[in-house]
């Protein structure tokens, strides 16, 4: 497996490539700096997000052919490594109830549901804040 990192001011992106393919297998996007909304959530959850790495996107390309092969876990491990190098104490991601397979993936990988927003982006749809404590 090979990774290619792309960075801009606000976000960084890692593309996961199989050594025998030219198109990426998966993508990981994370914020370079914590969004103020999450930095201020310390009092509303049991997790301190003041020093957290925020995952914006973790997805597989061609999910039908690439799912279940460990590629998502490889991308998540890269996020964890990056968070540890950066000195983050937690990693967090927001996932919609409309993507239950993503919620299941993060829960399987030791994330916990730290907060639920009702109607945050769309009426009748819950958004879940999932957090991984890097020092537990």
């Amino acid at each position: 497996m090979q990774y290619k990192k792309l960075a801009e001011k606000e976000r960084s992106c890692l593309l996961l490539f199989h050594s025998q393919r030219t198109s990426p297998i998966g993508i990981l996007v994370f914020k370079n700096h914590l969004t103020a909304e999450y930095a201020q959530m310390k009092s509303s959850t049991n997790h301190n997000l003041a020093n957290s790495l925020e995952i914006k996107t973790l997805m597989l390309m061609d999910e039908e052919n690439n799912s279940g092969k460990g590629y998502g876990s490889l991308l998540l491990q890269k996020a964890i490594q990056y968070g540890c190098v950066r000195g983050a104490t937690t990693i967090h991601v927001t996932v919609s109830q409309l993507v239950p397979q993503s919620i299941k993936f993060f829960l399987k990988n030791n994330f916990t549901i730290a907060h639920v927003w009702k109607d945050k982006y769309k009426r009748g749809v819950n958004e879940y804040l999932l957090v991984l404590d890097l020092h537990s």
Side-chain angles (χ1 to χ4, degrees):
M1 294 296 142
Q2 301 171 353
Y3 296 91
K4 180 177 181 182
K5 185 175 180 181
L6 308 171
E8 13 176 278
K9 184 177 182 179
E10 291 187 23
R11 298 178 186 207
S12 291
C13 171
L14 273 178
L15 300 174
L16 174 64
F17 289 89
H18 190 283
S19 58
Q20 299 172 353
R21 296 184 190 173
T22 57
S23 59
I25 296 170
I27 182 169
L28 168 67
V29 179
F30 51 88
K31 297 283 282 188
N32 292 328
H33 305 286
L34 187 62
T35 307
E37 171 188 11
Y38 295 108
Q40 298 168 358
M41 285 193 72
K42 179 180 177 183
S43 61
S44 66
T45 68
N46 293 331
H47 297 87
N48 182 350
L49 299 182
N51 193 20
S52 188
L53 176 69
E54 181 179 353
I55 295 176
K56 296 303 290 180
T57 303
L58 190 157
M59 65 178 255
L60 298 178
M61 313 308 241
D62 189 9
E63 187 176 337
E64 187 175 309
N65 290 318
N66 291 323
S67 185
K69 296 181 179 177
Y71 299 138
S73 295
L74 286 173
L75 288 168
L76 181 56
Q77 286 304 313
K78 279 294 183 182
I80 291 169
Q81 288 173 1
Y82 181 79
C84 288
V85 166
R86 220 187 80 187
T89 56
T90 59
I91 294 178
H92 71 276
V93 61
T94 303
V95 182
S96 168
Q97 77 179 52
L98 299 176
V99 197
Q101 66 273 23
S102 292
I103 296 169
K104 183 179 176 181
F105 170 80
F106 286 109
L107 290 174
K108 181 180 87 174
N109 283 283
N110 300 316
F111 281 70
T112 58
I113 297 173
H115 190 78
V116 180
W117 290 278
K118 297 185 184 302
D119 307 321
K120 182 174 181 171
Y121 299 116
K122 186 176 180 181
R123 182 177 290 240
V125 177
N126 291 339
E127 299 289 329
Y128 295 91
L129 174 65
L130 297 146
V131 178
L132 175 67
D133 187 346
L134 294 177
H135 300 291
S136 60

